[in-house]
Amino acid sequence: MKKRNYKKYLFISLAFLLVFSIIFGSGIASAEDNLENKTVDTEELEEKEEDTDKTLPSGKSESNVKPIEEEPEVDWSTKETIAGDFVIVGGEPDVDYTFASNILTILTNKRMTLKTTKTTAQRIVVPANVEASLVFDGVNITTSSNSPFTLTPAAGGGAKAHITLSDNSSNTLTSGSVNYPGLRCGRTTTLVIDDGILNKDMNGNDIIPELGRIPDDLTLLNGTKVKKGDRLTLLDSKNPGSLTTTGSTFAAAIGGGAGEDAGNITINGGNITATGITANSLNNGGAGIGGGSKGSGGDITINGGNITARGSYHAAGIGGGYHTTYNNGNSVATLSPAVIRPSYGIVGGKSGNITINGGFTISNGGTHGDAFGDGCYSYSTSRDCKIIVTGGTILPSAPGGRNDLGASEADVYVLGGSLRASKFNSKGSAVAYGD
């Protein structure tokens, strides 16, 4: 029987036990270390949570601090902003208007209220592609360069503006710039002036008079109900604002500049005074409302308000400017930009189309101009023009034997209203139709 080597087996067993203890002993140690780390992490987390509950100097805990809230969106419809000498309510800067180089430029049809902090030389311009809606609440501008208010003309259709005169407000536009009107509304442009009671129904549609009366049963924007046949004075404010405009050399007070026909002008309300230069000079050829020197009257409609117009020495109170090509041997200037008739220099000074449906209108022709009608010079024939009166009170004055109402070669219709006049003129020297 072979003798076993017990020492050998004992050595192998001891070696195995040593290896086993190393392997499993290391794992146990590692597990213990992990457990210790987890315990430390938990303690650190608890410490952090305790830190968040620490009290701030203000007495609030950090956990109760609220995030910063975003500022609310600006309501520009009531926001008042300042641009130069203008105070503007209802418009957003650089969106609805811009102000640069002393010019307030209107960019959109957003209804905005304007006033000036003082009588200023800064101007208002409406570009050709804009239809402005403005409320004048104390706008006072006197310029020595360009017009105080300009509707920019363009061959494809010029600028448009609806100006509301705020009740009891006083507004002035005075041009001291040769060739430029107080309120420029030249050929291709459109102007509407109204008082605090707009001539619009509850749907925003314009109210077009019918034979000097309200055309239908309507509800106005302010909720007032009117009936067909009611007097137009129901559309007039009891405390209307005023607009006083003054033209300069060669220019109308409201309408065209030098060499420029008036555009489309409608007056629905307000106390309006429009005065051209009255001194005796060839330079003074702009109408009160209408064309500048060498310009015709455009299309003028009066539905309401109290209007006093006075033409320059050689122009109509309402209608055409002085029909002349030259000023002391120099050609009458033309404005830029301007849209000039193809027949420029041939038919300037025409009355244009004048329609009076309502209001109280005093019109004083210049020494050589009609009250309502042509400017000075015998060949300023108003062929293809119409002067129509359906209502209102009209007090014309034409010194120098000119026409109170009428124009050479125009069709004149008097269908209603109250008219005090002594001299008419109509096509073929006929009396007014409707007499």
Side-chain angles (χ1 to χ4, degrees), residues 43-118:
E43 292 173 351
E44 289 178 352
L45 181 60
E46 291 174 350
E47 289 176 358
K48 288 181 180 179
E49 289 177 349
E50 290 175 357
D51 288 341
T52 61
D53 288 331
K54 290 180 180 178
T55 302
L56 297 173
S58 63
K60 296 180 180 179
S61 67
E62 289 181 353
S63 60
N64 293 329
V65 174
K66 295 181 179 179
I68 297 174
E69 296 181 357
E70 294 183 2
E71 292 186 5
E73 187 174 339
V74 176
D75 181 5
W76 292 105
S77 65
T78 57
K79 177 77 172 177
E80 181 178 282
T81 55
I82 305 295
D85 294 333
F86 294 97
V87 179
I88 303 163
V89 176
E92 182 177 353
D94 299 320
V95 175
D96 300 308
Y97 70 87
T98 59
F99 182 80
S101 302
N102 292 320
I103 299 174
L104 178 67
T105 302
I106 307 302
L107 302 178
T108 69
N109 64 355
K110 185 77 169 291
R111 184 177 172 88
M112 292 182 280
T113 298
L114 309 181
K115 63 181 177 181
T116 54
T117 57
K118 61 181 180 179

Side-chain angles (χ1 to χ4, degrees), residues 387-409:
I387 300 175
I388 302 171
V389 179
T390 70
T393 299
I394 303 167
L395 301 177
S397 175
R402 297 285 299 197
N403 299 310
D404 289 326
L405 182 75
S408 174
E409 295 301 314

Side-chain angles (χ1 to χ4, degrees), residues 39-246:
T39 302
V40 171
D41 290 344
T42 302
E43 292 173 351
E44 289 178 352
L45 181 60
E46 291 174 350
E47 289 176 358
K48 288 181 180 179
E49 289 177 349
E50 290 175 357
D51 288 341
T52 61
D53 288 331
K54 290 180 180 178
T55 302
L56 297 173
S58 63
K60 296 180 180 179
S61 67
E62 289 181 353
S63 60
N64 293 329
V65 174
K66 295 181 179 179
I68 297 174
E69 296 181 357
E70 294 183 2
E71 292 186 5
E73 187 174 339
V74 176
D75 181 5
W76 292 105
S77 65
T78 57
K79 177 77 172 177
E80 181 178 282
T81 55
I82 305 295
D85 294 333
F86 294 97
V87 179
I88 303 163
V89 176
E92 182 177 353
D94 299 320
V95 175
D96 300 308
Y97 70 87
T98 59
F99 182 80
S101 302
N102 292 320
I103 299 174
L104 178 67
T105 302
I106 307 302
L107 302 178
T108 69
N109 64 355
K110 185 77 169 291
R111 184 177 172 88
M112 292 182 280
T113 298
L114 309 181
K115 63 181 177 181
T116 54
T117 57
K118 61 181 180 179
T119 298
T120 182
Q122 297 172 355
R123 307 189 288 116
I124 301 171
V125 172
V126 181
N129 61 339
V130 173
E131 183 172 351
S133 178
L134 304 174
V135 179
F136 279 16
D137 190 21
V139 173
N140 297 287
I141 305 174
T142 299
T143 59
S144 58
S145 175
N146 218 300
S147 291
F149 187 99
T150 298
L151 292 171
T152 306
K160 299 178 181 180
H162 187 289
I163 297 175
T164 301
L165 304 177
S166 183
D167 280 359
N168 296 311
S169 68
S170 178
N171 307 275
T172 59
L173 301 173
T174 303
S175 173
S177 179
V178 173
N179 303 324
Y180 287 93
L183 197 167
R184 186 182 177 193
C185 176
R187 188 175 176 85
T188 75
T189 67
T190 300
L191 170 69
V192 178
I193 301 175
D194 207 343
D195 56 27
I197 300 178
L198 301 184
N199 285 30
K200 291 180 179 291
D201 65 20
M202 64 183 300
N203 297 315
N205 300 313
D206 293 332
I207 297 175
I208 309 300
E210 185 177 278
L211 292 175
R213 297 283 178 169
I214 290 173
D216 293 296
D217 294 349
L218 299 168
T219 301
L220 307 183
L221 276 177
N222 65 2
T224 300
K225 295 184 181 298
V226 294
K227 295 182 179 180
K228 178 180 176 65
D230 279 350
R231 64 188 190 279
L232 291 177
T233 52
L234 293 176
L235 305 180
D236 289 342
S237 171
K238 290 181 172 57
N239 302 291
S242 67
L243 174 64
T244 301
T245 59
T246 306

